[in-house]
Amino acid sequence: MAELVAGAFLSSFLNVLIDRMASRCFLDFISGKKNDNELLMRKLKLKLLTANKLVDDAEEKQMTSPTVRRWLDDLKDAIYCVGELLDEINTEALRRQLEGDDEHSPAASSSTSWITSVFKSSSPSDEFHNSLEPKISNILRVLDLILNEKDILGLKEGVQHRPQDTTRQTTSRVDESGVFGRKKDTETILKALRSDDTTGAKIGVLPIVGMGGIGKSTLAQRVYKDVKDDFDVKAWVCVGEKFGILQIAQTIYGRITDQTCGITDLDLLSERLEKVLIGKKFLFVLDDVWSEDYEPWQNLMTHFNSCGVRGSKIIVTTRQRRVASITGTLSTHDLQGISEDDSWLLFAKHAFTEDSVITAHPDLEVIGRKIVKKCQGLPLAIKSLGGLLHAVLNPKEWEKILKSDLWELPNDKVLPALWLSYKYLPPHLKRCFAYCAIFPKGYRFQSSKLISWWMAEDFLQPHGKEALEDVGSDYFDILVSRSFFQHSKDYYGKSYFTMHDLINNLAKFVSGEFCLRLEDDHLTVDRNICRVRHVSSMNFCNQRTQNLGALYEAKHLHGFLRLHSVHFIGLGNKPIDLLLVLPYLRVLKLEDRGIVELPSSIGDLKQLRHLDVSWTSITELPDKVCNLYNLQTLLLEACQRLIQLPSELGRLINLRHLNIRGTKIKQMPAGMCNFKNLQTLSDFVVDKQTGQRIGELKELQHLRQDLRISGVGNIDHEGNALEADIMSNKEYLDKLVLTWRIGDDDASNHDPENDREVLNNLQPHTNLKQLEIRSYGGLEFPGWLADPSFSKLSHIVLIDCKHCRLLPPLGQLRFLKDLCIRGINNVVEIDSEFYGNDSLAPFSSLEKLCLGEMWNCQKLLYYDGSRGNTTILFPNLCELELSRCPKLTEILPLEKLPRLERVKLRHLESFSGSLAHVESECPKFLSLVHLGIEDCPNFVCFPDGGMDAPKLEELRISQCKKLRSLPDQMHTLLPSLQKLEVLDCPEVESYYDGSRGNTTILFPNLRKLELSRCPKLTEIVPLEKPPRLEWVTLCELESFNGSLAHVGSECPKFLSLVHLKIEDCPNFVCFPDGGMDAPKLEELRISQCKKLRSLPEQMHSLLPSLRILKVFDCPEVESYYDGSRGNTTILFPNLCELELKRCPKLTEIVPLEKLPRLERVKLRHLESFSGSLAHVEFECPKFLSLVHLKIKNCPNFVCFPDGGMDAPKLEELLISQCEKLRSLPKQMHTLLPSLQKLKVFSCPEVEPFPQGVLLSNLQDLSFECCRKLAANRSLWGLTRLNSLRMLEIFFTEEGGEEMGCSFPDEGLLPTALTHLAIRKHPNLITIQGKVLRHLTSLQYLTIQGCPEVQCFLEEAPKSLKGLIVCDCPNIRCLPGEWLPTSLSLLYIWGCPLLKERFRRETGEDWPKIAHIPDVFGL
């Protein structure tokens, strides 16, 4: 029977420690010594046993008692200390055994044997032995104090609570008005319930799986209601944690008979059930199932199978994927969170009494949407928070909820729901889950990394000879199956995992004060951290290491993880110096380019198991790393400056993982054969001097995953080191990469015969799944490469094997799925030998074939050389790619490949043949989905009669210079076409062969159309004919002068169109008469249409969804607004972004206040625009959504609206080259309260600092300083701008003269500046360091285009991190005071004198800047 509740968090930890103390070796150590250690250890063990009896009761009671929770934390801290003590003993034993301090050390390698040897050889004067007594005594005193509190707290021994969720009893009733975002889920499940599969199981079982609170029961209730007419009998059972067959049967029988069932005899009840169910189609819902026990489920199904008819269904809702795998016969439905919009609707239903409240309180909606975002689509959390705020209209209360942790809120229902999932975890998994509190919310992690951290923390408990990694993988899979982790893939298909934010909160809750996360929003250590064992840091965008100093207090720290993100900022070497004084560190992860060296004191971290310095700038590892005898994982990936490993690395006999991928290492150190437990080795590198070390690989029998051997060309096959079975004993290895060269080594001197013999001797185990061979120099491949005994070999890559004349008979590999061959230059024909002469069904499993860079290959022969042969070759080939084979004239007839889905033909200069058998007219490509033909200049035409490709979704043709037309009858033969792209085909004149007057729907599924650089194309398909067309791009079509629609249509309908882009179509004159009825159009971009006179008519009414409008380089367009400026109607209700550029005849624009959602406006190079931004009668118009406004080079733009602009959200205002503009908007300080960024250039009449105006939120200011401004600089008032952080000043010639030869004046600039840029000051000679030192927050200083500047006086501000000096030809030197240790960035450009002095490595002043991590321009 599977046990649901296996004990408290600490019980696993305690059991491990107790087992270690009860081992024979440990007992031998403590017995018969002339001290009290034996007695003390017995007492310690008894204390741990006593504690173990209390932890189950304490873990349950901590939910309601903060005092018990604190008691548990005290106990946990003490237990950690016991573990640390035992680790010290084990490490000392290991050290003595390896360093020979113990002359009686046994040959056995087990750590327990070493413990015995240490203490049997110890004398009373042994310092280490004597140091144990006070440590044990201290721990005993602490445990005494803790355990003596048990009676006060009411803790009982041996009490094991079963987690009963007594408040949750579900029924089949559902309030559908409260269900949001489950339409698609409902349809999927209803389809499965209503299907009658005659081949599957008699009773279909459909599991619904998801985390607690995701809405599994609600979804089941909804479908239960919707299928009332589909089943003869229905019943709902809330199962819970106890899976009782009798209880389930009683409930079902009672529901069917409408009476309470009191039958307790299961056999009798089964008979009664059979009578009422016989011949009937039933639906049962078993809600909230927890049991993973297979046998009771099978017994239950035996009862159901004996009576129900085919088509009967059972829905099982569960949090655990294991339950789904045991019960399900239909596809499991993984339930995800609801969308953000649906989340808001659900929240609003519970938070607001009626819809009018939202309208009356828009500020509450803003806060509410942020609250909803925190819930990440979890309906239970959304309803809980919505109910908590029901009828509360005070924004401060809403802000309080937004900033609170969910667990801190009253009457919280989310924590109990998720706590139940945690309670059901066995103790060893509770520790693993709690550790995940180190992850920031939303952090993406890989399973292998997390498992390696668990392993370093001793969380994994193997049985027998089970590998630790396999144990960790099992643990991880269970947590995934129970919805603690969520699986996903990135853009490149790489797997990663995340935790839902509320699961992350749960991990943080259970880990308590033992985990600490340092993030951008929590950079300060604001609590006592002496108990912290695990720390992670991330970003530090605003601060560096000053807050890490508090970690000195974490004397018992076990792990420090530097988690990088897209905002990666370097920390430098300081964190290492800080962390190396923490003696209990087990895990140290420091991915940081700013780290340039590891101090030798890292060898003092005796407990270190995991060291990750990937992506650092280190050039070597200190030799003392070889003293880290506990080290299991050493990661050096992408250390691009690392050139060698320590010579005694082989002493790390516990090493299990070594990654040197992306380093400059040219050889492996001797002693690699000592890594008997090594599981993963990224690379094994040999050079000419160390080629004989290849033999050491033979001892690494447990290698798994992938291995790359580089420098294979340096191995001499006649040497003794290269044995025939060197690789064949690695049965767990999945992928082997053999590269003959290292980096850019010259391969011209290779001996082809030697290369062949070496490759022959490197034959891998037949379990290998992937093989890659690069730069092999032999003339042919050894026979094992195509040996059918490689039954698991599914992927082969052969690259740059330039001397090979024949391809191996790979057709014999029956399970090969993916084959890529590139750069094999000497192959002229790919003929029957490639398929395998003796193979009746060559390449029977091949799914993907890629051939490229085969410069001399002329023929890719069909199996027997006849294109007319009806034999099916490549019966499972799905993807074919042929590229850069310039002499290839013909290819395989594609219609002979029955499952072919994707074809790419690229850079085939001589290919002039056909895609199909030459005699075929309108050949069938029944599986083809994607076809791309690129840069095939001699490809002339598609098959006569067209291509019958009913599944083709994407057709992309580019750079086919002789292609005259696209396939015939496309609109009928390609009914599934969704994407059509024709690029750079100068001879294509048309792709449309139907009548424009025909009312038939064309291309019924076309969604995207792109036609670019086809100069002869005169007309296109009427865009209203493809009913699903969403994206249209017409670019550089010089001859296109037609219409977008049928010529007879007035105001045609484009009902699905979302994006329309027309660019550089010089003869495109107009849009359809009457406008374009495109209700879904969101984006319209028009550029370089020289003859276009106007935009579509009635845009404001016919394009109601328009969000983005951009018009560039249309010299004849005079207006795009055809409504009355006095009209009060809202125009373009959804327009968010408007950009008008280089339209010299445009005189006016739509009044911006008529666009209620407008956020971004750019007006550039509009020479004739002299109008207003708003309706002329409005004195202070409202621009309520405007965030960004840029007006550039509008010489006739005179003024902003009278009275100013009421734009409460405006954050950025940029005005430049508006010569007639008289002033900035009035009342900016009150009407623009959100303004953060202001830039004013080349507006001679504009005063950038209006007197009396205080922009309290301004953070970024850029302006041009003319003579008038310079003369009045005492009136600038910049020191009053308390939020100003970034200041950029451009000087005119006259302004520089007025300002003088030094800058800045004392008291001119605000002290809180972080960024200062001084540009184009013609007279500037000196930089006043004395003045700049008053800028105590200055981090980045830029001096650019100051030809007279010669020196920097005094010293730099202490806070300076970056110095940029550009185009200052007369500056001769930078004093050392301006190159402080805090500096992490130095950029010098256009300063020849400085460049010479600072030349990298050789310059006179290079030593002054060698410490700076990022130096550019030199």
Side-chain angles (χ1 to χ4, degrees), residues 751-985:
D751 177 0
E753 186 58 33
N754 181 74
D755 283 0
R756 189 183 186 285
E757 289 301 319
V758 168
L759 182 57
N760 193 47
N761 285 348
L762 289 176
Q763 177 177 344
H765 193 278
T766 54
N767 282 348
L768 194 72
K769 298 175 182 176
Q770 299 183 49
L771 175 65
E772 187 172 325
I773 299 175
R774 290 177 174 267
S775 304
Y776 169 63
L779 301 180
E780 58 184 30
F781 291 94
W784 64 260
L785 188 58
D787 193 325
S789 64
F790 284 88
S791 59
K792 296 182 180 180
L793 191 57
S794 60
H795 292 69
I796 292 181
V797 176
L798 306 176
I799 293 181
D800 290 336
C801 304
K802 300 182 184 298
H803 302 289
C804 285
R805 296 171 296 194
L806 296 173
L807 294 179
L810 299 176
Q812 300 173 167
L813 298 174
R814 295 192 301 125
F815 299 98
L816 186 64
K817 292 184 177 181
D818 190 337
L819 175 59
C820 177
I821 302 174
R822 294 185 182 276
I824 302 186
N825 297 342
N826 285 345
V827 172
V828 177
E829 287 187 358
I830 299 178
D831 54 19
S832 59
E833 289 190 16
F834 175 58
Y835 299 101
N837 293 324
D838 300 326
S839 179
L840 298 177
F843 294 110
S844 57
S845 299
L846 194 69
E847 296 176 359
K848 182 177 180 180
L849 174 60
C850 175
L851 302 175
E853 290 90 49
M854 301 184 68
W855 307 110
N856 292 305
C857 185
Q858 301 174 16
K859 295 182 180 180
L860 173 57
L861 297 180
Y862 208 46
Y863 190 33
D864 60 358
S866 169
R867 290 181 67 94
N869 192 305
T870 58
T871 303
I872 293 179
L873 256 192
F874 304 106
N876 289 294
L877 192 69
C878 298
E879 186 169 348
L880 173 64
E881 180 176 347
L882 304 174
S883 65
R884 292 184 172 84
C885 300
K887 295 184 179 181
L888 191 67
T889 57
E890 61 177 347
I891 64 173
L892 301 172
L894 300 187
E895 83 273 21
K896 295 290 185 74
L897 310 174
R899 296 191 178 180
L900 190 64
E901 297 178 4
R902 305 179 70 93
V903 175
K904 290 182 181 179
L905 307 176
R906 299 189 299 164
H907 306 288
L908 307 180
E909 285 84 348
S910 299
F911 172 56
S912 58
S914 174
L915 301 179
H917 182 260
V918 290
E919 297 176 3
S920 301
E921 184 167 332
C922 191
K924 297 182 183 296
F925 307 85
L926 298 183
S927 298
L928 194 62
V929 177
H930 299 270
L931 173 60
I933 305 175
E934 177 182 339
D935 196 9
C936 296
N938 285 296
F939 176 62
V940 177
C941 63
F942 288 90
D944 292 339
M947 297 170 57
D948 187 358
K951 294 182 180 180
L952 189 68
E953 295 178 1
E954 181 175 347
L955 176 59
R956 189 177 194 276
I957 313 295
S958 71
Q959 295 174 276
C960 295
K961 296 180 179 179
K962 293 184 179 179
L963 182 67
R964 298 185 297 271
S965 66
L966 299 192
D968 296 339
Q969 301 297 317
M970 284 173 62
H971 57 287
T972 56
L973 294 176
L974 308 180
S976 300
L977 193 66
Q978 297 181 20
K979 186 175 180 180
L980 173 60
E981 295 182 7
V982 185
L983 316 173
D984 298 286
C985 295

Side-chain angles (χ1 to χ4, degrees), residues 13 114 183 229 393 986 1088 1197 1353:
F13 197 0
W114 298 334
K183 182 178 179 181
D229 297 327
L393 301 180
Q1088 295 174 276
F1197 175 60
L1353 298 182

Side-chain angles (χ1 to χ4, degrees), residues 179-304:
V179 181
F180 296 91
R182 293 303 187 198
K183 182 178 179 181
K184 188 174 181 180
D185 295 294
T186 302
E187 291 172 351
T188 300
I189 294 177
L190 286 175
K191 183 178 179 181
L193 294 179
R194 287 168 175 161
S195 66
D196 289 322
D197 186 1
T198 58
T199 60
K202 180 180 178 183
I203 310 297
V205 182
L206 192 156
I208 301 176
V209 177
M211 65 181 288
I214 201 73
K216 301 180 294 296
S217 299
T218 302
L219 180 60
Q221 290 163 342
R222 186 170 183 176
V223 298
Y224 186 88
K225 179 181 179 181
D226 288 348
V227 294
K228 59 184 178 181
D229 297 327
D230 295 271
F231 296 91
D232 304 316
V233 179
K234 296 193 303 177
W236 179 285
V237 183
C238 183
V239 178
E241 72 277 359
K242 185 177 180 181
F243 191 89
I245 298 179
L246 179 62
Q247 175 200 4
I248 294 172
Q250 286 175 332
T251 304
I252 292 174
Y253 185 75
R255 182 72 178 82
I256 295 171
T257 59
D258 286 331
Q259 60 186 20
T260 303
C261 178
I263 303 173
T264 57
D265 185 315
L266 184 59
D267 191 54
L268 175 61
L269 183 56
S270 180
E271 291 180 5
R272 298 282 179 89
L273 264 178
E274 187 171 350
K275 287 181 181 179
V276 298
L277 290 176
I278 195 75
K280 294 182 179 178
K281 184 178 177 181
F282 62 74
L283 170 65
F284 298 151
V285 175
L286 305 184
D287 187 37
D288 199 26
V289 178
W290 288 82
S291 174
E292 297 179 355
D293 204 336
Y294 178 77
E295 187 176 345
W297 174 257
Q298 286 303 303
N299 291 338
L300 180 65
M301 288 305 296
T302 299
H303 295 289
F304 292 153

